[in-house]
Coordinates of all heavy atoms in Angstrom, one line a residue:
T1 N 139.3 135.3 125.3 CA 138.5 134.9 126.4 C 137.2 134.3 125.9 O 136.4 133.8 126.7 CB 138.1 136.2 127.3 OG1 137.4 137.1 126.5 CG2 139.4 136.8 127.8
G2 N 136.9 134.4 124.6 CA 135.6 133.9 124.1 C 134.4 134.8 124.3 O 133.3 134.4 124.0
E3 N 134.7 135.9 124.9 CA 133.6 136.9 125.2 C 133.1 137.5 123.9 O 133.9 137.9 123.0 CB 134.1 138.0 126.1 CG 133.1 139.0 126.4 CD 133.6 140.1 127.3 OE1 134.8 140.0 127.8 OE2 132.9 141.1 127.6
T4 N 131.8 137.6 123.7 CA 131.2 138.3 122.5 C 131.3 139.8 122.7 O 130.8 140.3 123.7 CB 129.8 137.8 122.3 OG1 129.8 136.4 122.1 CG2 129.2 138.5 121.0
L5 N 131.9 140.5 121.8 CA 132.0 141.9 121.9 C 131.0 142.7 121.1 O 130.9 143.9 121.2 CB 133.4 142.3 121.4 CG 134.6 141.7 122.2 CD1 135.9 142.1 121.5 CD2 134.5 142.1 123.6
G6 N 130.1 142.1 120.4 CA 129.1 142.8 119.6 C 129.5 142.9 118.2 O 130.5 142.3 117.7
Q7 N 128.7 143.7 117.4 CA 128.9 143.8 116.0 C 129.8 144.9 115.7 O 129.8 146.0 116.3 CB 127.5 144.1 115.3 CG 127.6 144.1 113.8 CD 126.2 144.3 113.2 OE1 125.2 144.6 113.9 NE2 126.1 144.2 111.9
V8 N 130.7 144.7 114.7 CA 131.6 145.7 114.2 C 131.2 146.1 112.8 O 130.9 145.2 112.0 CB 133.1 145.2 114.2 CG1 134.0 146.2 113.7 CG2 133.5 144.8 115.7
T9 N 131.2 147.4 112.5 CA 131.0 147.9 111.2 C 132.2 148.6 110.7 O 133.0 149.1 111.4 CB 129.7 148.8 111.1 OG1 130.0 150.0 111.9 CG2 128.5 148.1 111.6
L10 N 132.3 148.7 109.3 CA 133.4 149.3 108.7 C 133.0 150.1 107.5 O 132.3 149.6 106.6 CB 134.5 148.3 108.3 CG 135.7 148.9 107.5 CD1 136.5 149.7 108.5 CD2 136.5 147.7 106.9
S11 N 133.2 151.4 107.5 CA 132.9 152.3 106.4 C 134.2 152.9 106.0 O 135.0 153.3 106.8 CB 131.9 153.4 106.8 OG 130.7 152.8 107.2
I12 N 134.4 153.0 104.7 CA 135.7 153.5 104.1 C 135.4 154.6 103.1 O 134.5 154.5 102.3 CB 136.5 152.4 103.5 CG1 136.8 151.3 104.5 CG2 137.8 153.0 102.8 CD1 137.5 150.1 103.9
G13 N 136.2 155.7 103.2 CA 136.1 156.8 102.2 C 137.5 157.0 101.6 O 138.5 157.0 102.3
G14 N 137.5 157.1 100.3 CA 138.8 157.2 99.6 C 138.8 158.3 98.5 O 137.8 158.6 98.0
A15 N 139.9 158.9 98.3 CA 140.1 159.9 97.2 C 141.5 159.8 96.7 O 142.4 159.6 97.4 CB 139.8 161.3 97.8
E16 N 141.6 159.9 95.4 CA 142.9 159.9 94.7 C 143.4 161.3 94.6 O 142.7 162.2 94.3 CB 142.7 159.2 93.3 CG 144.0 159.1 92.6 CD 143.8 158.3 91.2 OE1 142.7 157.7 91.1 OE2 144.6 158.4 90.4
Y17 N 144.7 161.4 94.8 CA 145.4 162.7 94.6 C 145.3 163.2 93.2 O 145.4 162.5 92.2 CB 146.9 162.6 95.0 CG 147.7 163.8 94.7 CD1 147.6 164.9 95.5 CD2 148.5 163.9 93.5 CE1 148.3 166.1 95.2 CE2 149.2 165.0 93.2 CZ 149.1 166.1 94.0 OH 149.8 167.2 93.7
R18 N 144.9 164.5 93.1 CA 144.9 165.1 91.8 C 146.0 166.1 91.7 O 146.2 166.9 92.6 CB 143.5 165.8 91.6 CG 142.3 164.9 91.6 CD 141.1 165.7 91.5 NE 139.9 164.8 91.4 CZ 138.7 165.2 91.7 NH1 138.4 166.4 92.0 NH2 137.7 164.3 91.7
S19 N 146.7 166.2 90.6 CA 147.8 167.0 90.4 C 147.5 168.5 90.8 O 146.5 169.0 90.4 CB 148.2 167.0 88.9 OG 149.4 167.8 88.7
G20 N 148.3 169.0 91.6 CA 148.2 170.4 92.0 C 147.4 170.6 93.3 O 147.4 171.8 93.8
E21 N 146.7 169.7 93.8 CA 145.8 169.9 95.0 C 146.6 169.7 96.2 O 147.7 169.1 96.3 CB 144.6 169.0 95.0 CG 144.7 167.6 95.3 CD 143.4 166.9 95.3 OE1 142.4 167.5 95.4 OE2 143.5 165.6 95.1
T22 N 146.1 170.3 97.3 CA 146.8 170.2 98.6 C 146.4 168.9 99.3 O 145.4 168.3 99.0 CB 146.4 171.4 99.5 OG1 145.0 171.3 99.8 CG2 146.7 172.7 98.8
A23 N 147.2 168.5 100.3 CA 146.8 167.4 101.1 C 145.5 167.6 101.8 O 144.7 166.7 101.9 CB 147.9 167.1 102.2
T24 N 145.2 168.8 102.2 CA 143.9 169.1 102.8 C 142.8 168.9 101.9 O 141.7 168.4 102.3 CB 143.9 170.6 103.3 OG1 145.0 170.8 104.2 CG2 142.6 171.0 103.9
D25 N 142.9 169.2 100.6 CA 141.9 168.9 99.6 C 141.6 167.4 99.5 O 140.4 167.0 99.5 CB 142.3 169.5 98.2 CG 142.3 171.0 98.2 OD1 141.7 171.6 99.0 OD2 143.1 171.5 97.3
V26 N 142.7 166.6 99.4 CA 142.5 165.1 99.3 C 141.8 164.6 100.5 O 140.8 163.8 100.4 CB 143.9 164.4 99.1 CG1 143.7 162.9 99.0 CG2 144.6 164.9 97.9
V27 N 142.3 165.0 101.7 CA 141.7 164.5 103.0 C 140.2 164.9 103.1 O 139.3 164.2 103.5 CB 142.5 165.0 104.2 CG1 141.7 164.6 105.5 CG2 143.8 164.3 104.2
S28 N 139.9 166.2 102.6 CA 138.5 166.6 102.7 C 137.6 165.8 101.8 O 136.5 165.5 102.2 CB 138.5 168.1 102.2 OG 137.2 168.6 102.2
R29 N 138.1 165.5 100.6 CA 137.3 164.6 99.7 C 137.1 163.2 100.2 O 136.0 162.6 100.2 CB 137.9 164.6 98.3 CG 137.8 165.9 97.6 CD 138.2 165.9 96.1 NE 139.6 165.5 95.9 CZ 140.0 164.4 95.4 NH1 139.2 163.5 94.9 NH2 141.3 164.2 95.2
A30 N 138.2 162.7 100.8 CA 138.1 161.3 101.4 C 137.1 161.3 102.6 O 136.3 160.4 102.8 CB 139.5 160.8 101.9
D31 N 137.1 162.4 103.4 CA 136.2 162.6 104.5 C 134.8 162.6 104.1 O 133.9 162.0 104.7 CB 136.6 163.8 105.3 CG 135.9 163.9 106.6 OD1 136.0 163.0 107.4 OD2 135.2 165.0 106.9
A32 N 134.5 163.4 103.0 CA 133.2 163.4 102.5 C 132.7 162.0 102.0 O 131.5 161.7 102.2 CB 133.1 164.4 101.3
C33 N 133.6 161.3 101.5 CA 133.3 159.9 101.1 C 133.0 159.0 102.3 O 132.1 158.2 102.2 CB 134.4 159.3 100.2 SG 134.5 160.0 98.6
L34 N 133.8 159.2 103.3 CA 133.5 158.4 104.5 C 132.1 158.6 105.0 O 131.4 157.7 105.3 CB 134.5 158.7 105.6 CG 134.3 158.2 107.0 CD1 134.3 156.6 106.9 CD2 135.3 158.7 108.0
Y35 N 131.7 159.9 105.1 CA 130.4 160.1 105.6 C 129.3 159.7 104.6 O 128.2 159.3 105.0 CB 130.2 161.6 106.0 CG 130.9 161.9 107.3 CD1 132.2 162.4 107.3 CD2 130.4 161.5 108.5 CE1 132.9 162.5 108.5 CE2 131.0 161.6 109.7 CZ 132.3 162.2 109.7 OH 132.9 162.3 110.9
A36 N 129.5 159.8 103.3 CA 128.6 159.2 102.3 C 128.4 157.7 102.5 O 127.3 157.2 102.4 CB 129.1 159.6 100.9
A37 N 129.5 157.0 102.8 CA 129.5 155.6 103.0 C 128.6 155.3 104.2 O 127.8 154.4 104.2 CB 130.9 155.0 103.2
K38 N 128.8 156.0 105.3 CA 128.0 155.8 106.5 C 126.5 156.1 106.3 O 125.7 155.4 106.7 CB 128.5 156.7 107.6 CG 129.9 156.3 108.2 CD 130.3 157.2 109.3 CE 131.6 156.7 109.9 NZ 132.0 157.5 111.1
R39 N 126.2 157.2 105.5 CA 124.8 157.5 105.2 C 124.1 156.5 104.4 O 122.9 156.3 104.4 CB 124.7 158.9 104.5 CG 124.9 160.1 105.4 CD 124.5 161.3 104.7 NE 125.2 161.5 103.5 CZ 126.4 162.1 103.3 NH1 127.0 162.6 104.4 NH2 127.0 162.2 102.2
S40 N 124.9 155.7 103.5 CA 124.3 154.8 102.6 C 124.2 153.4 103.3 O 123.9 152.4 102.6 CB 125.1 154.7 101.3 OG 126.4 154.2 101.6
G41 N 124.3 153.3 104.6 CA 124.0 152.0 105.2 C 125.1 151.4 106.0 O 125.0 150.2 106.4
R42 N 126.3 152.0 106.2 CA 127.4 151.4 106.9 C 127.9 150.2 106.1 O 127.4 149.8 105.2 CB 127.0 151.1 108.3 CG 126.4 152.1 109.1 CD 127.4 153.0 109.8 NE 126.7 154.2 110.4 CZ 127.0 154.7 111.5 NH1 128.0 154.2 112.2 NH2 126.4 155.7 112.0
N43 N 129.1 149.7 106.6 CA 129.7 148.6 105.9 C 129.9 148.8 104.4 O 129.6 147.9 103.6 CB 129.0 147.3 106.2 CG 129.2 146.8 107.6 OD1 130.2 147.0 108.2 ND2 128.2 146.3 108.2
R44 N 130.2 150.0 104.0 CA 130.3 150.4 102.6 C 131.6 151.0 102.3 O 132.3 151.6 103.2 CB 129.2 151.4 102.3 CG 127.8 150.9 102.5 CD 127.3 149.8 101.6 NE 127.5 150.1 100.2 CZ 126.6 150.7 99.4 NH1 125.4 151.1 100.0 NH2 126.8 150.9 98.2
V45 N 132.0 151.1 101.1 CA 133.2 151.8 100.6 C 132.7 152.8 99.6 O 131.8 152.6 98.8 CB 134.1 150.8 99.9 CG1 135.3 151.6 99.2 CG2 134.6 149.7 100.8
C46 N 133.3 154.0 99.7 CA 132.9 155.1 98.9 C 134.2 155.8 98.3 O 135.1 156.0 99.1 CB 132.1 156.2 99.7 SG 131.6 157.6 98.7
S47 N 134.1 156.1 97.0 CA 135.3 156.8 96.5 C 134.8 158.1 95.8 O 133.6 158.2 95.4 CB 136.0 155.9 95.5 OG 135.2 155.6 94.4
H48 N 135.7 159.0 95.6 CA 135.4 160.3 95.0 C 135.5 160.2 93.5 O 136.6 159.9 92.9 CB 136.3 161.4 95.5 CG 135.7 162.7 95.4 ND1 135.8 163.6 94.4 CD2 135.0 163.4 96.3 CE1 135.2 164.7 94.6 NE2 134.7 164.6 95.8
V49 N 134.4 160.3 92.7 CA 134.4 160.1 91.3 C 133.6 161.3 90.6 O 132.5 161.7 91.1 CB 133.6 158.8 90.9 CG1 133.6 158.6 89.4 CG2 134.3 157.6 91.6
D50 N 134.2 161.9 89.6 CA 133.5 162.9 88.8 C 133.0 164.1 89.7 O 131.9 164.5 89.5 CB 132.4 162.4 88.0 CG 132.9 161.4 86.9 OD1 134.1 161.6 86.5 OD2 132.2 160.4 86.6
G51 N 133.8 164.5 90.7 CA 133.4 165.7 91.5 C 132.5 165.4 92.7 O 132.1 166.4 93.3
E52 N 132.0 164.2 92.9 CA 131.2 164.0 94.1 C 131.4 162.5 94.6 O 131.8 161.6 93.8 CB 129.7 164.2 93.8 CG 129.1 163.3 92.7 CD 127.7 163.7 92.4 OE1 127.5 164.7 91.7 OE2 126.8 163.0 92.8
P53 N 131.1 162.3 95.9 CA 131.3 161.0 96.5 C 130.3 160.0 95.8 O 129.1 160.3 95.6 CB 130.9 161.2 97.9 CG 131.1 162.6 98.2 CD 130.8 163.3 96.9
K54 N 130.8 158.8 95.5 CA 130.0 157.7 94.9 C 130.1 156.5 95.7 O 131.2 155.9 95.7 CB 130.4 157.4 93.5 CG 130.2 158.6 92.5 CD 128.8 158.9 92.2 CE 128.7 159.9 91.1 NZ 127.4 160.4 90.9
P55 N 129.1 156.0 96.5 CA 129.2 154.7 97.2 C 129.3 153.6 96.2 O 128.8 153.6 95.1 CB 127.9 154.6 97.9 CG 127.4 156.0 98.0 CD 127.8 156.7 96.7
A56 N 130.1 152.6 96.6 CA 130.2 151.4 95.7 C 128.9 150.6 95.8 O 128.1 150.8 96.7 CB 131.3 150.5 96.3
P57 N 128.5 149.9 94.7 CA 127.3 149.2 94.7 C 127.3 148.1 95.8 O 128.3 147.6 96.2 CB 127.2 148.5 93.3 CG 128.6 148.5 92.9 CD 129.3 149.7 93.5
T58 N 126.1 147.8 96.3 CA 126.0 146.7 97.3 C 126.2 145.4 96.6 O 126.2 145.3 95.4 CB 124.5 146.7 97.9 OG1 123.6 146.4 96.9 CG2 124.2 148.0 98.6
T59 N 126.4 144.3 97.3 CA 126.6 143.0 96.8 C 125.4 142.6 95.9 O 125.6 142.1 94.8 CB 126.8 142.0 97.9 OG1 127.8 142.4 98.7 CG2 127.0 140.6 97.3
A60 N 124.2 142.9 96.3 CA 123.0 142.6 95.5 C 123.0 143.3 94.2 O 122.7 142.8 93.1 CB 121.7 142.9 96.3
Q61 N 123.4 144.6 94.2 CA 123.5 145.4 92.9 C 124.6 144.8 92.0 O 124.4 144.7 90.8 CB 123.8 146.8 93.2 CG 122.6 147.6 93.9 CD 123.0 148.9 94.4 OE1 124.2 149.1 94.8 NE2 122.1 149.8 94.4
T62 N 125.7 144.4 92.6 CA 126.8 143.9 91.8 C 126.4 142.6 91.1 O 126.6 142.3 90.0 CB 128.0 143.6 92.7 OG1 128.4 144.8 93.3 CG2 129.2 143.1 91.9
V63 N 125.7 141.7 91.9 CA 125.3 140.4 91.3 C 124.2 140.6 90.2 O 124.3 140.0 89.2 CB 124.7 139.5 92.4 CG1 124.0 138.3 91.9 CG2 125.7 139.1 93.4
K64 N 123.3 141.6 90.4 CA 122.3 141.8 89.4 C 122.9 142.3 88.1 O 122.5 141.9 87.0 CB 121.3 142.9 90.0 CG 120.1 143.2 89.1 CD 119.2 144.1 89.8 CE 118.0 144.4 88.9 NZ 117.0 145.3 89.5
K65 N 123.9 143.2 88.2 CA 124.5 143.7 87.0 C 125.3 142.7 86.3 O 125.4 142.7 85.1 CB 125.5 144.9 87.4 CG 124.8 146.2 87.7 CD 125.8 147.2 88.0 CE 125.1 148.5 88.4 NZ 126.0 149.6 88.7
A66 N 125.8 141.7 87.0 CA 126.6 140.6 86.4 C 125.8 139.6 85.6 O 126.3 138.9 84.7 CB 127.4 139.9 87.4
R67 N 124.5 139.6 85.9 CA 123.6 138.6 85.2 C 123.3 139.0 83.8 O 123.3 139.9 83.3 CB 122.3 138.4 86.0 CG 122.6 137.7 87.3 CD 121.3 137.5 88.0 NE 121.6 136.8 89.3 CZ 120.8 136.7 90.2 NH1 119.5 137.0 90.1 NH2 121.1 136.1 91.3

């Protein structure tokens, strides 16, 4: 219809299965990452690394590290 619907944001939280853990544990860690991604500014991806959620670097941070 051409109608503008407004701005859409996307936040993603992910966790990799660890041997011996339950599905509830994996989902709980992914959920914690989802909320960490939202707290760090939305439109972010967060994964569970070394025992705690870690947001991915922003585009500006990635470009700065590449230089």
